[in-house]
Each structure stands twice: as structure tokens, then as C-alpha cells.
Amino acid sequence: LAGALFVSAPAYAQTTSDSGTDLPEGARLANLAFDSVDADGNDYVDRVEMERQRAGIFFSQDSDESGKVELDEFLAWDFGFTNQADAEGKRLAYDTALKVVFSCWDTSSNGALTELEHQDAMKADIKRADHNRDGVLERDEFVQGYSVLVAIRTALKPEE
């Protein structure tokens, strides 16, 4: 998911300023990811918005148009944090975190994500991140709890 942090979870709860320049880079990127999913700008994302974003991501990840996303395609797709991982000298940790996410999502363990596995992973991630169980993800829930963002945050700032 864009489409997915570099500081501790409480810092991710901040909202962006108009310019977005007062936030650490990871928080700024995570909030931009949220904004890209929140199509109607109501400051929460529902399953329809998440599915629209997920479908677009799946389509763009499937670079060979095979109808499935293999690990190399998953790793090649830019979740928006590659430059930050490179700048911090943590590309290996970043790629490893994405491999873990891929492995969890690949429930058939065949090395490729089907669209159904991709959809099921999104639904499970929404449920896991939805702390107040209202069926939608507010900005804080999305930024702090969506699996790709959690994995990236852990890879790039494991001490926090």
C-alpha cells in the first residue's frame, strides 16, 4: 500500500501541516499514503477506498501481467520509502521487512500473490489496524497499524 515509518508510533499520529515540512520524512510519507487512499478527504478510509487503492497497487505490481505478483515484482514496486531506506543505509532491512510481509500475505506459500490473497491480506490488515472496531481506519490507525507501514517502520527505526 502506498499502497506504506521512521519514527515511533506516537510521532506518526501527528497530522501534516499545510506544507508537510514539520514532520519527519517517514511520517510525512505515511500521511501522504493515507491521503492517497482517503479519496473523499473525510480523514478516514473505508473498505471501498482501500479496495480501490489495493486493486490499483496489485495491477501496478503485476509488471508481467501474469495475474499474480511474484516476490521480485513485490520488491521492485516502490512503496514510497526506498529512497529513505537507501539514505539511512537500511536497504537490506527494508527489503527483508517487505519479504516478511509478502510471506505473510502469500498464504498458499507458492511464491506469488493472487489477487484473492492480496484482497484477503488487505481485509486482515484493516481488521488488525482498526483498534476501535468501527470498520474504518482513521489516520492514526492507518499510519500506526497497517502491516506494510509497521514493517517498514520496524526495519528503518528498530530502536523506536
Side-chain angles (χ1 to χ4, degrees):
L1 251 167
L5 302 133
F6 312 106
V7 296
S8 63
Y12 281 95
Q14 303 173 43
T15 57
T16 57
S17 69
D18 291 342
S19 67
T21 58
D22 59 337
L23 294 178
E25 183 65 4
R28 187 184 71 75
L29 292 170
N31 277 284
L32 284 173
F34 177 85
D35 292 339
S36 74
V37 179
D38 183 19
D40 59 11
N42 61 2
D43 218 29
Y44 68 84
V45 294
D46 59 29
R47 291 184 189 275
V48 172
E49 290 170 315
M50 291 291 286
E51 173 54 24
R52 186 177 308 118
Q53 184 79 356
R54 186 220 54 81
I57 290 170
F58 185 86
F59 178 77
S60 66
Q61 285 178 329
D62 183 16
S63 60
D64 66 2
E65 300 179 6
S66 65
K68 61 186 182 213
V69 174
E70 295 180 7
L71 179 60
D72 62 329
E73 293 171 309
F74 190 80
L75 294 175
W77 195 83
D78 188 359
F79 284 88
F81 300 91
T82 306
N83 289 341
Q84 189 69 29
D86 289 342
E88 293 190 18
K90 296 193 176 181
R91 184 58 183 266
L92 180 60
Y94 174 79
D95 287 346
T96 300
L98 292 180
K99 288 176 184 178
V100 169
V101 169
F102 182 90
S103 294
C104 290
W105 290 5
D106 180 17
T107 56
S108 64
S109 300
N110 67 353
L113 297 175
T114 64
E115 188 145 10
L116 181 58
E117 285 174 315
H118 208 250
Q119 286 174 326
D120 288 347
M122 181 204 61
K123 290 174 187 174
D125 286 349
I126 291 170
K127 185 176 180 179
R128 186 176 22 261
D130 184 14
H131 296 292
N132 65 5
R133 303 292 181 233
D134 64 355
V136 298
L137 296 181
E138 286 80 16
R139 182 179 299 272
D140 293 350
E141 291 173 322
F142 178 88
V143 170
Q144 294 176 23
Y146 203 76
S147 70
V148 173
L149 300 179
V150 170
I152 292 170
R153 179 178 62 243
T154 302
L156 299 180
K157 293 290 185 185
E159 66 279 0
E160 297 179 357

